[in-house]
Amino acid sequence: MALDFDVGLAQKRDNDNPVFYVQYGHARCAAILRKAQEERGLTPRWDPQAVGALQLPEEIELIKPGAATSRPDRARGAALEPHKVVFYLQETIAQFHGYYTKYKKTERVIGDDPRKTDARLFLVWAVKQTLANALAVLGSSAGPDGRSGGGEE
């Protein structure tokens, strides 16, 4: 069995490098949460009533319980199936980036509707935490929260 490891790809700091792409997503989430705190004094919190405000198809996909049948956990990492965690990370961050990009001009996370804002902030926090947890299972880290340079949202 041969292992093909692309050192050049591993050193790249762009979206071609899957670890960088996931870390960038984590930083994007952190920047959104930081902006909510700094500009409006908002922090993500669980509000069962607010979750009903998440109506966009992409939001529903991100919050579906068991949406990814390969949820990362320590057992998968210990069972030498890290590729399942990697696939989960790639799917999750692609969904989040797609959602954010598609709606950043029309359905902002931090908006005028307090109920939607609460729900979306919690969604962003959940994605951020999921990315950090899955990277930890792989023995990696999410990197510094400020990687994206701030100006998100």
Side-chain angles (χ1 to χ4, degrees), residues 83 135 145 148:
H83 63 285
L135 284 167
D145 281 353
S148 70

Side-chain angles (χ1 to χ4, degrees), residues 83-103:
H83 63 285
K84 290 183 179 179
V85 178
V86 172
F87 293 152
Y88 173 77
L89 278 167
Q90 290 174 320
E91 289 171 14
T92 301
I93 199 55
Q95 279 183 314
F96 180 74
H97 282 309
Y99 160 72
Y100 179 83
T101 302
K102 182 175 181 178
Y103 295 108

Side-chain angles (χ1 to χ4, degrees), residues 12 43 51 75 87 101 105 122 128 130:
K12 285 178 99 174
T43 56
V51 172
F87 293 152
T101 302
K105 301 277 189 213
F122 190 80
K128 177 181 175 274
T130 298

Side-chain angles (χ1 to χ4, degrees), residues 43-52 54 63 118-119 121-123 125-126:
T43 56
R45 62 185 176 81
W46 171 247
D47 180 351
Q49 273 66 41
V51 172
L54 299 177
I63 63 171
D118 283 348
L121 283 175
F122 190 80
L123 177 64
W125 174 86

Side-chain angles (χ1 to χ4, degrees), residues 27-130:
R28 171 175 271 174
C29 291
I32 293 167
L33 297 173
R34 186 172 45 255
K35 182 174 181 169
Q37 173 62 46
E38 290 172 358
E39 294 183 5
R40 296 207 188 168
L42 300 173
T43 56
R45 62 185 176 81
W46 171 247
D47 180 351
Q49 273 66 41
V51 172
L54 299 177
Q55 297 293 317
L56 300 172
E58 293 82 357
E59 292 169 335
I60 302 303
E61 283 302 309
L62 281 166
I63 63 171
K64 269 186 186 174
T69 55
S70 60
R71 295 246 181 230
D73 58 29
R74 296 211 183 277
R76 282 188 177 76
L80 301 178
E81 295 180 326
H83 63 285
K84 290 183 179 179
V85 178
V86 172
F87 293 152
Y88 173 77
L89 278 167
Q90 290 174 320
E91 289 171 14
T92 301
I93 199 55
Q95 279 183 314
F96 180 74
H97 282 309
Y99 160 72
Y100 179 83
T101 302
K102 182 175 181 178
Y103 295 108
K104 71 180 176 182
K105 301 277 189 213
T106 59
E107 292 286 336
R108 301 181 66 81
V109 173
I110 306 167
D112 294 330
D113 182 334
R115 191 166 164 248
K116 278 186 183 178
T117 296
D118 283 348
R120 289 177 176 159
L121 283 175
F122 190 80
L123 177 64
V124 170
W125 174 86
V127 169
K128 177 181 175 274
Q129 190 62 47
T130 298

